[in-house]
Amino acid sequence: MLKKCAICQKGALTGKLVSRKGQYKAKGGTGSKISRWTMRKFLPNLQKMRILIKGHPKKVYVCAKCIKKGEIVKAP
């Protein structure tokens, strides 16, 4: 089972975690510089739910946004 939303296919995104060094210009410094960065993942808010898919109940991951929108039908 993939860690993606079953409704909108939302999954993990990659980005950078940036460490900065130096005093900001607004505080009287020469400006901040990027000293190092590491790759990281931005994960969606997925919840494991039992929903109806094509009339049959199935346990899948659904993102919180789809739950709030009401795009799912919970299985009894």
Side-chain angles (χ1 to χ4, degrees):
M1 189 184 290
L2 289 174
K3 286 276 191 158
K4 280 192 172 185
C5 178
I7 310 298
C8 64
Q9 303 303 314
K10 186 188 286 187
L13 295 171
T14 57
K16 291 180 185 175
L17 181 69
V18 180
S19 295
R20 296 180 193 273
K21 226 174 149 176
Q23 195 174 27
Y24 294 108
K25 284 186 177 180
K27 291 190 171 183
T30 57
S32 67
K33 280 91 176 163
I34 294 171
S35 60
R36 63 192 155 278
W37 54 264
T38 54
M39 295 302 285
R40 60 158 288 189
K41 274 187 178 179
F42 293 93
L43 298 171
N45 186 2
L46 296 176
Q47 309 293 322
K48 199 169 189 179
M49 296 183 76
R50 220 167 145 249
I51 63 171
L52 290 175
I53 297 176
K54 296 179 184 172
H56 300 288
K58 198 171 182 183
K59 256 190 181 178
V60 292
Y61 286 104
V62 182
C63 69
K65 206 171 204 178
C66 290
I67 295 169
K68 285 180 192 174
K69 284 183 185 176
E71 293 183 2
I72 60 163
V73 179
K74 284 188 179 182

